[in-house]
Amino acid sequence: MRLLWILLSIFVQGSLARLFKAQPQALSVVHQGDAVLLECVTNEPVTCGWKLETLGLGATGFLNNMVPGNLDISARDKNSDMDCTITLNNVDNRFNGVYTCSPYTKNGGQANSDAAEVVIAQKPSRLEFLGAAAGSFELTASADQPTSVTCEASGARPKAKLEWYLENTQIYEGVVVTDTKDPATGLVTTNSTLTHRFRKENNGDQLRCVASHAGYDDQDSREQAIVVDVQYAPYRPEGNNVGKIYGFTAGEEGQVTLSFTANPMPGPMSWKIGDNVFVQTGSQSLDGRFTAGSLVTIDGQRGKYNLTLTIAPVRMEDQSKTFQLRLENEMGPTALEFTIGTGPAPPPQVMSSSAIVGAVVGGLVLLLIIGLVAFGRSRGKWCFAD
């Protein structure tokens, strides 16, 4: 029985293919006011007719030679018995729906073409961020964990396509899209939720939600943007271990300036010199030899700052001390560590000429040995145990 139904289905499809020379396009997305051509041509004489599944036209079908005047639909040739093509004139939202060319054949039956859906494009009524980002110019994010943000395009037909960009780089991962269709109007609301772990370097970047839709005109705004406020503990991009800083002279004043980034701005800030000396920013040590300058803002939007420690005078024993710049904000504490040295920094170590020659000769000898072994094995002159 199942085989019989399969064979019957193949027979029916073959019959329809022989009947229809041209069938209407499966999907047409058009604008209000457009004229939509739905082509349907048969290979044999028929009585042309159409079936309609629409919410607004108030009709379920018609014959080509008797199209109701209120439908604003015209037959290309209402007297033809093979050309059933129609035109939907000056379309509006009433024309949304499915159209099927459904002629009556000479044997009294009725055949159906492939269904054609006509969609009158309606651009989203709103494009906006939801939740904590709604109506805000900033999105607060942590560099330590992912942050979620939702963008919504509401009341569109067909549904809008939403894409995420960080500055000009598109984000593909961590995107979840949900669509909700209003059964009364057929309009679709699309929510796109991005879950992304922003890096410290993204602080101050623009996160953009960009919509694509057939209904947009050139002057329409197609995106929403928000500045990402990435929060993180203070750190030095080059590394928190500064190393040894040279250039000091015993008996003279010296300064150390360290640059770092932090968001939000660090609160408690102090210098630790050796084991026992602590100096808060904007103050001096008890003996007056160490002075901690106030915080200097280099780029507040990007969270770039620096602090300066003045040593007056530098003493030889300072070279044996470990210095720390201690910083802290709501995201956590950080210590930038360094030592100091008098005089210029030592020159970088360079391999001597004799060492370079030795390395080159050694490499050549090794290549020669490998070549000889390969040659000998290829000629069968030497045997090697495997």
Side-chain angles (χ1 to χ4, degrees):
M1 181 62 71
R2 183 178 180 184
L3 178 61
L4 179 62
W5 279 110
I6 294 175
L7 293 174
L8 181 60
S9 174
I10 294 174
F11 173 77
V12 171
Q13 291 176 5
S15 299
L16 290 176
R18 289 193 299 272
L19 175 62
F20 291 103
K21 183 178 180 180
Q23 301 189 57
Q25 183 176 330
L27 175 65
S28 298
V29 178
V30 298
H31 296 84
Q32 293 205 29
D34 286 351
V36 182
L37 182 71
L38 298 179
E39 190 173 25
C40 179
V41 180
T42 62
N43 288 309
E44 62 184 58
V46 295
T47 301
C48 293
W50 286 78
K51 292 179 181 178
L52 311 181
E53 298 176 42
T54 65
L55 295 175
L57 288 179
T60 58
F62 56 82
L63 298 176
N64 280 34
N65 59 2
M66 298 177 60
V67 182
N70 65 325
L71 292 186
D72 206 8
I73 298 175
S74 57
R76 182 158 64 184
D77 183 355
K78 67 179 182 179
N79 297 316
S80 175
D81 58 3
M82 296 178 69
D83 186 358
C84 302
T85 302
I86 60 172
T87 299
L88 314 182
N89 301 299
N90 193 29
V91 297
D92 54 31
N93 288 332
R94 297 175 303 140
F95 286 83
N96 282 294
V98 177
Y99 297 76
T100 305
C101 184
S102 184
Y104 291 90
T105 60
K106 60 186 177 182
N107 61 8
Q110 190 174 17
N112 293 326
S113 71
D114 293 338
E117 183 178 9
V118 174
V119 176
I120 314 303
Q122 182 164 321
K123 64 186 178 185
S125 58
R126 290 189 312 277
L127 178 65
E128 59 188 350
F129 292 114
L130 302 183
S136 176
F137 295 103
E138 278 191 342
L139 172 68
T140 301
S142 169
D144 298 327
Q145 59 189 10
T147 299
S148 295
V149 58
T150 299
C151 181
E152 180 178 272
S154 55
R157 185 194 306 112
K159 69 178 185 178
K161 179 182 178 182
L162 299 180
E163 296 175 329
W164 292 94
Y165 291 84
L166 190 58
E167 292 291 320
N168 294 317
T169 301
Q170 186 171 356
I171 303 175
Y172 296 96
E173 296 183 357
V175 178
V176 177
V177 177
T178 57
D179 299 312
T180 305
K181 188 173 184 178
D182 185 337
T185 63
L187 300 179
V188 180
T189 294
T190 299
N191 282 359
S192 179
T193 299
L194 170 69
T195 300
H196 185 75
R197 184 169 179 174
F198 296 94
R199 296 180 291 112
K200 300 168 185 176
E201 296 80 8
N202 297 138
N203 185 40
D205 286 352
Q206 272 200 339
L207 178 66
R208 301 159 51 217
C209 172
V210 180
S212 301
H213 194 271
Y216 276 134
D217 297 321
D218 291 340
Q219 68 271 20
D220 288 325
S221 174
R222 307 179 183 209
E223 70 175 68
Q224 289 290 331
I226 194 168
V227 175
V228 184
D229 179 34
V230 185
Q231 299 191 345
Y232 50 88
Y235 83 108
R236 181 174 175 268
E238 300 85 355
N240 291 343
N241 188 352
V242 180
K244 195 163 191 174
I245 303 174
Y246 289 90
F248 296 90
T249 301
E252 297 183 5
E253 179 181 291
Q255 286 189 337
V256 176
T257 298
L258 295 184
S259 298
F260 58 91
T261 67
N263 189 37
M265 180 186 297
M269 296 173 285
S270 64
W271 298 85
K272 180 187 176 189
I273 302 97
D275 296 326
N276 304 313
V277 179
F278 297 88
V279 185
Q280 296 289 331
T281 52
S283 65
Q284 288 185 326
S285 60
L286 292 177
D287 61 4
R289 202 162 67 86
F290 298 98
T291 302
S294 299
L295 184 69
V296 176
T297 301
I298 305 301
D299 184 346
Q301 184 177 4
R302 295 288 180 176
K304 296 183 178 181
Y305 308 94
N306 69 33
L307 283 168
T308 298
L309 176 68
T310 301
I311 310 171
V314 174
R315 295 176 180 170
M316 292 299 294
E317 59 264 28
D318 291 334
Q319 296 183 95
S320 63
K321 297 174 181 176
T322 298
F323 291 72
Q324 283 187 347
L325 172 57
R326 295 184 167 187
L327 307 163
E328 185 174 355
N329 63 9
E330 289 91 329
M331 304 304 292
T334 301
L336 308 183
E337 190 168 290
F338 63 96
T339 58
I340 66 173
T342 58
Q349 290 186 349
V350 179
M351 187 180 294
S352 65
S353 58
S354 59
I356 294 174
V357 171
V360 171
V361 171
L364 291 174
V365 170
L366 179 61
L367 289 174
L368 179 61
I369 293 173
I370 293 173
L372 289 172
V373 171
F375 177 80
R377 296 196 69 167
S378 66
R379 294 294 188 270
K381 296 184 179 297
W382 300 314
C383 295
F384 299 88
D386 292 329

